[in-house]
Amino acid sequence: MNISKAAQATGLTAKTIRYYESLKLISPAHRLENGYRDYNESHLRELSFISHARELGFTLKECSDLLGLYNDNGRKSADVKSLALKKIADVEDKISQLQVIRESLQKLTECCHGDDMPDCPIIDRLAKGKDSTSA
């Protein structure tokens, strides 16, 4: 199938599919006589796998590692679980960082009157730099 049909079948864009192929995340598509790419069911499985992994927050490098395990019949499920547990730890770190950001923004908005006047403590504190939200 051509790249448009592969994109439609996987929910990815043709540009994304070309990009994944250029990174060698997926096996290269067979080229037809006219030079067009020809994708098969194996490509669709790989693309869907990557798409689902990306939805869960895995990086392209992590997707490559997972795809290697997916294609390895001798894989150990412990290796897959290890990657998933590392991703959970990464997500928990991001959640903590986002909570700090939220708290800082809440402090900033509490200082602002939100009226029609040009004076704005949010702008003032942002202009002062990193430590300005600890007031």
Side-chain angles (χ1 to χ4, degrees):
M1 82 181 56
N2 67 27
I3 197 165
S4 296
K5 289 182 181 175
Q8 186 176 16
T10 60
L12 299 169
T13 65
K15 184 176 180 179
T16 298
I17 294 172
R18 281 192 221 72
Y19 180 62
Y20 289 170
E21 192 173 343
S22 75
L23 295 176
K24 296 183 172 54
L25 269 176
I26 63 169
S27 52
H30 171 74
R31 295 286 184 148
L32 300 174
E33 287 181 24
N34 60 8
Y36 289 179
R37 291 171 172 88
D38 185 33
Y39 294 93
N40 59 33
E41 288 300 316
S42 176
H43 291 111
L44 294 182
R45 282 191 300 275
E46 289 177 339
L47 290 166
S48 291
F49 184 93
I50 295 167
S51 178
H52 293 136
R54 296 288 287 156
E55 287 171 0
L56 290 174
F58 287 99
T59 65
L60 290 177
K61 167 68 172 103
E62 291 165 337
C63 287
S64 177
D65 294 343
L66 285 166
L67 200 54
L69 290 167
Y70 172 73
N71 289 321
D72 179 4
N73 291 332
R75 70 179 167 264
K76 297 176 187 169
S77 65
D79 294 336
V80 180
K81 184 175 182 175
S82 175
L83 289 173
L85 288 171
K86 184 181 179 322
K87 181 49 63 184
I88 290 169
D90 291 346
V91 168
E92 287 173 351
D93 278 348
K94 284 184 182 179
I95 289 170
S96 294
Q97 291 170 6
L98 288 170
Q99 287 172 333
V100 168
I101 291 169
R102 182 187 64 210
E103 289 169 12
S104 295
L105 287 169
Q106 284 175 330
K107 287 178 184 177
L108 284 173
T109 58
E110 288 168 4
C111 297
C112 182
H113 297 292
D115 55 21
D116 293 337
M117 302 303 293
D119 293 332
C120 180
I122 298 171
I123 294 293
D124 295 342
R125 289 199 182 171
L126 289 173
K128 287 180 185 175
K130 184 177 181 180
D131 295 326
S132 64
T133 59
S134 58

